[in-house]
Amino acid sequence: MEKRKLATRSQEQPKPKGGKKKRCRRSAYTVDDTHAPQAGSHLKPKRGRPAATAASGPHREVRNSISNVAERRVKLPKLSRELVDVLVAEWLQVTQSPRHWVPLPRVPSCADVLAKFAMTKASTPGAVAWAELAAGLRAYFDATLPKLLLYRQEREQYDKFARGRGAPSTLYGAEHLLRLLSRLPHLLGLTDLHPEELKRLQAKLPELYKFLVRCRSEIFLSTYELREALLSTRRPRGLPPQVALRNLASPPGSNPPT
């Protein structure tokens, strides 16, 4: 009888509301409370589980390299619509099937384009500052291209045709320079840029954007070459330097001299 009464009492005990206890869904992030909170440091991915990212389009292939400094991005003038269209169009050619590559060495190269831009400012006040801007962008280009400015589909081309063959700014052209400009706010977030230097950069970049738009028919390729066609050649192809530089020096809308 005692056992039966105990069993009856246990059955009459009220059940918790909602039936089964709901399990809390674990977040993909854990709180890091061992260090002082910094920009983006209070959240870190759990071991073995990749952090979610929202990057897409032309920026997707290099997002992991700069995602940790997204909160530290520097405010810079945005690319014009014409340059954004170039950026998206070339991303489609490189990443979608059939795969295309920019022929290397690219002529005019990034170094040629920046040097020509500095020449257009040689007779203006502050010509030295314009030359320093071009030199600084070229240095950034050489330092970042192998790790940040190449899409995954271009790694093979870099290993075969560019690695160990000179500075990247002499092998790649305006297409990859445009990628650098699009990621410059993130990259400068890694540096201790002085506020005065930032102001000068913010004032000068729009002039570079205008130059790229004005000369886009001479410095940007409208179509790239098939990956298989470039791999079948013994060495990368490009326009003769004198032809490309002559086209770049010609005013927009004019025919180059013969």
Side-chain angles (χ1 to χ4, degrees):
M1 292 295 293
E2 291 292 336
K3 293 181 179 180
R4 186 175 299 176
K5 288 181 179 180
L6 290 174
T8 305
R9 288 178 183 177
S10 63
Q11 293 175 1
E12 293 175 355
Q13 289 180 357
K15 295 182 179 180
K17 293 183 179 181
K20 295 182 180 180
K21 187 177 179 181
K22 294 183 178 180
R23 295 181 179 179
C24 295
R25 186 177 181 180
R26 294 185 178 182
S27 171
Y29 300 91
T30 56
V31 179
D32 181 9
D33 55 359
T34 59
H35 300 87
Q38 300 176 356
S41 64
H42 63 291
L43 293 176
K44 64 179 182 180
K46 286 185 177 180
R47 185 175 298 177
R49 297 183 67 178
T53 56
S56 60
H59 304 281
R60 179 166 47 194
E61 297 298 335
V62 295
R63 64 180 183 269
N64 293 332
S65 302
I66 57 178
S67 59
N68 292 333
V69 295
E71 294 83 0
R72 298 173 55 189
R73 66 188 307 177
V74 174
K75 187 175 182 180
L76 294 176
K78 294 183 179 180
L79 295 175
S80 63
R81 170 51 56 186
E82 294 90 346
L83 296 180
V84 172
D85 290 342
V86 172
L87 192 65
V88 173
E90 67 102 17
W91 174 77
L92 290 172
Q93 292 195 69
V94 173
T95 61
Q96 306 300 310
S97 296
R99 303 282 167 78
H100 292 73
W101 285 344
V102 175
L104 299 180
R106 184 72 175 89
V107 180
S109 66
C110 171
D112 295 331
V113 173
L114 290 174
K116 180 61 181 179
F117 170 69
M119 287 176 57
T120 62
K121 299 294 183 179
S123 59
T124 62
V128 175
W130 289 108
E132 291 176 350
L133 172 64
L137 288 174
R138 180 177 176 179
Y140 257 99
F141 188 92
D142 289 334
T144 58
L145 182 132
K147 295 182 179 180
L148 294 178
L149 303 184
L150 295 176
Y151 299 132
R152 174 173 51 85
Q153 294 83 356
E154 295 174 307
R155 299 301 310 180
E156 181 185 9
Q157 183 190 28
Y158 176 79
D159 292 336
K160 288 181 177 294
F161 300 136
R163 185 185 297 277
R165 300 198 178 190
S169 59
T170 63
L171 299 174
Y172 290 84
E175 297 82 10
H176 291 77
L177 173 61
L178 193 56
R179 298 184 198 177
L180 171 65
L181 295 175
S182 70
R183 299 182 181 104
L184 204 55
H186 297 280
L187 296 175
L188 293 180
L190 292 170
T191 65
D192 296 327
L193 193 64
H194 193 275
E196 291 300 323
E197 294 178 352
L198 177 59
K199 289 181 181 179
R200 288 194 291 268
L201 184 61
Q202 290 170 336
K204 292 181 181 300
L205 278 180
E207 290 298 315
L208 176 58
Y209 297 165
K210 293 177 183 177
F211 171 80
L212 296 178
V213 171
R214 189 168 62 248
C215 301
R216 63 183 181 273
S217 61
E218 289 83 25
I219 63 177
F220 293 114
L221 288 176
S222 58
T223 57
Y224 298 171
E225 296 194 32
L226 281 171
R227 166 186 172 274
E228 292 74 13
L230 291 177
L231 287 175
S232 64
T233 59
R234 288 196 171 186
R235 64 173 188 169
R237 288 177 290 172
L239 289 174
Q242 63 273 16
V243 174
L245 292 178
R246 184 177 60 191
N247 293 343
L248 181 59
S250 302
S254 63
N255 296 324
T258 56

